[in-house]
Amino acid sequence: MTGRNERVVERAARATLHWTLRYTGGVDPTVAGRRQEEILSDLHEHTTWAAEAGISPRATARSMRARMLRGIPADLDWRRAQLSGREGIRWSLPRVDGLLSAAVVMIGIVQVAVGAFIAARQVRAQMIDDIAFVPNAVAFTIALGSVALVATALLGPRRTRHWGSAMLAVTGVLIFAQSVEALYHLSATALVVIIGVPWLEPAAYVIGIGVAIICLAATAQWATPARRIPAASTASLPAGEEPR
């Protein structure tokens, strides 16, 4: 079991090194080599620190992968700067965190609004005797909107916001397509549009998957607290780089 756990860390380190080789490709070999050595040293220090701190190999591997994902914007900015010979936009960790926070909060608000809109349409349809029951798609959309409301509330406290973004990833995949199906039962105008645009529901799923990807990226960003990153690892990063 110990050997298997060690391989988990090794695979995470190899994934990071593979990414490093990809984004340093085409850069001056001396500069690229120095960058690769710095990342290799950083991974070694991270692994050593985690072992000394008693962190499990699987948690160490998750932390490595999360740091790699969070560092991708800075890595691409570094590559642009090396190829163009000038500094690009610096994607610091606080900047990425702020953009993700704004995006995920907006996603949560939109999902809650979709659930509330479908609930209002259902109430209106029953009040004018246009429908006498609650279609499954309507009930499911309202339920997803309710879950999204809870998830959006979880985005406030730092310790729970990764749970909120993870929940919004799940509801995001489903709520937009379900709302299209719900409107099929609740709106004559929507019915005509849905019949005339057969790709509308697949497009809603595509939007939902895109939303889920953003939310999962935020989950990866927030799931590993900054205090779990070894302080020593910052010494191995290039000057001006944010610790991952």
Side-chain angles (χ1 to χ4, degrees):
M1 182 66 69
T2 301
R4 181 179 301 176
N5 287 337
E6 291 176 353
R7 285 195 294 273
V8 169
V9 177
E10 182 181 345
R11 285 196 296 270
R14 285 185 176 181
T16 301
L17 289 174
H18 179 71
W19 164 242
T20 303
L21 292 173
R22 290 290 298 276
Y23 78 79
T24 57
V27 176
D28 179 84
T30 301
V31 177
R34 186 163 58 247
R35 179 78 169 190
Q36 293 157 13
E37 290 173 0
E38 288 165 345
I39 297 300
L40 182 61
S41 175
D42 181 50
L43 290 171
H44 174 72
E45 291 181 7
H46 188 159
T47 305
T48 302
W49 168 83
E52 292 174 351
I55 297 175
S56 70
R58 291 189 178 278
T60 301
R62 287 196 298 270
S63 177
M64 281 185 177
R65 293 183 185 278
R67 292 180 66 196
M68 180 186 72
L69 291 173
R70 292 199 305 269
I72 286 176
D75 293 335
L76 295 178
D77 184 55
W78 176 89
R79 175 180 173 81
R80 285 194 299 269
Q82 295 300 321
L83 294 178
S84 64
R86 62 179 183 273
E87 286 293 327
I89 299 173
R90 182 162 296 282
W91 289 91
S92 63
L93 183 58
R95 179 184 177 87
V96 173
D97 190 82
L99 290 174
L100 280 175
S101 296
V104 175
V105 168
M106 182 59 65
I107 287 170
I109 292 173
V110 169
Q111 291 189 33
V112 173
V114 169
F117 175 73
I118 294 301
R121 293 292 302 187
Q122 174 67 30
V123 171
R124 179 179 180 278
Q126 288 186 296
M127 289 180 63
I128 63 176
D129 294 326
D130 194 30
I131 191 170
F133 66 99
V134 180
N136 291 336
V138 172
F140 195 25
T141 303
I142 295 173
L144 290 170
S146 301
V147 174
L149 178 61
V150 175
T152 303
L154 291 176
L155 295 176
R158 179 173 292 272
R159 68 179 183 278
T160 60
R161 60 182 181 174
H162 63 287
W163 291 111
S165 60
M167 290 168 63
L168 288 174
V170 176
T171 55
V173 172
L174 301 171
I175 192 169
F176 300 108
Q178 287 297 311
S179 64
V180 171
E181 185 176 345
L183 288 173
Y184 180 90
H185 299 280
L186 300 176
S187 171
T189 302
L191 175 61
V192 173
V193 172
I194 293 169
I195 293 176
V197 186
W199 49 264
L200 187 59
E201 189 169 354
Y205 274 114
V206 171
I207 293 172
I209 291 172
V211 163
I213 290 172
I214 294 173
C215 292
L216 290 175
T219 302
Q221 166 81 0
W222 298 331
T224 305
R227 61 182 174 82
R228 295 184 61 183
I229 303 302
S233 69
T234 59
S236 65
L237 293 178
E241 283 294 320
E242 293 288 338
R244 292 185 183 178

